[in-house]
């Protein structure tokens, strides 16, 4: 069964490129160490924060077929020195306590389970 884990967070718009650079380094490290975090796909999106022109709201989605293994490797990766350094760079740019207006901000990961019957991929539209 496919599941995705999401997380929303805010950063200052001025840190947009700096965040991309930090996340590219982290993902390059993960690609070089595929057993570090057990996912099959990771994607990130952003949008303008509707309540603050100086901020952006970012979201990532990590897809896996075994969320238990994914969650376990996420915890293990925290103990990896290099991965920990990347995580700290990320945390240093996140605006605490405000992913969305009125939403609790604790960098909480939310897990979603796919409904296979509603999965559509139309590669000819790429």
């Amino acid at each position: 069964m496919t599941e995705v884990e999401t997380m929303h967070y805010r950063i200052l718009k001025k840190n947009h490129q700096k965040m991309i650079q930090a996340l590219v380094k982290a993902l390059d490290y993960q690609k070089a160490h595929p057993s570090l975090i057990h996912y099959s796909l990771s994607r990130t999106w952003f949008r303008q924060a509707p309540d603050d022109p100086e901020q952006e709201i970012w979201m990532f989605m990590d897809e896996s077929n075994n969320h238990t293994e994914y969650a376990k490797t996420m915890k293990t990766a925290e103990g990896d020195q290099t991965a920990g350094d990347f995580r700290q760079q990320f945390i240093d740019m996140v605006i605490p306590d405000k992913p969305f207006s009125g939403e609790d901000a604790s960098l909480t990961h939310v897990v979603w389970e796919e409904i296979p019957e509603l999965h559509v991929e139309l590669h000819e539209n790429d």
Side-chain angles (χ1 to χ4, degrees):
M1 146 187 27
T2 301
E3 295 172 308
V4 295
E5 185 158 313
T6 64
M7 186 174 69
H8 301 100
Y9 52 95
R10 285 182 183 236
I11 68 166
L12 292 174
K13 186 182 276 189
K14 70 179 185 177
N15 286 337
H16 182 94
Q17 281 305 120
K18 187 176 174 184
M19 180 63 88
I20 288 174
Q21 291 168 353
L23 292 177
V24 164
K25 287 179 186 175
L27 293 175
D28 284 347
Y29 183 72
Q30 290 174 15
K31 286 186 244 180
H33 302 86
S35 62
L36 185 65
I37 298 179
H38 187 88
Y39 61 76
S40 57
L41 178 67
S42 183
R43 296 177 72 185
T44 301
W45 292 266
F46 81 97
R47 66 185 176 96
Q48 173 65 47
D51 59 345
D52 190 329
E54 302 297 318
Q55 297 180 3
E56 297 173 337
I57 299 171
W58 285 44
M59 176 184 78
F60 78 77
M61 292 176 56
D62 287 348
E63 181 177 305
S64 68
N65 290 322
N66 182 339
H67 184 265
T68 302
E69 184 64 23
Y70 169 84
K72 185 170 77 175
T73 59
M74 285 289 283
K75 281 291 183 198
T76 302
E78 290 178 11
D80 181 285
Q81 180 65 45
T82 303
D85 289 346
F86 292 134
R87 186 174 190 277
Q88 190 59 51
Q89 290 175 30
F90 165 82
I91 288 171
D92 288 346
M93 285 185 272
V94 169
I95 298 170
D97 302 326
K98 196 177 178 187
F100 295 109
S101 297
E103 183 178 316
D104 178 35
S106 57
L107 294 179
T108 301
H109 294 241
V110 178
V111 179
W112 300 80
E113 186 176 325
E114 181 181 29
I115 301 169
E117 299 87 350
L118 302 178
H119 183 112
V120 175
E121 289 186 47
L122 301 173
H123 295 286
E124 60 273 7
N125 290 334
D126 288 345

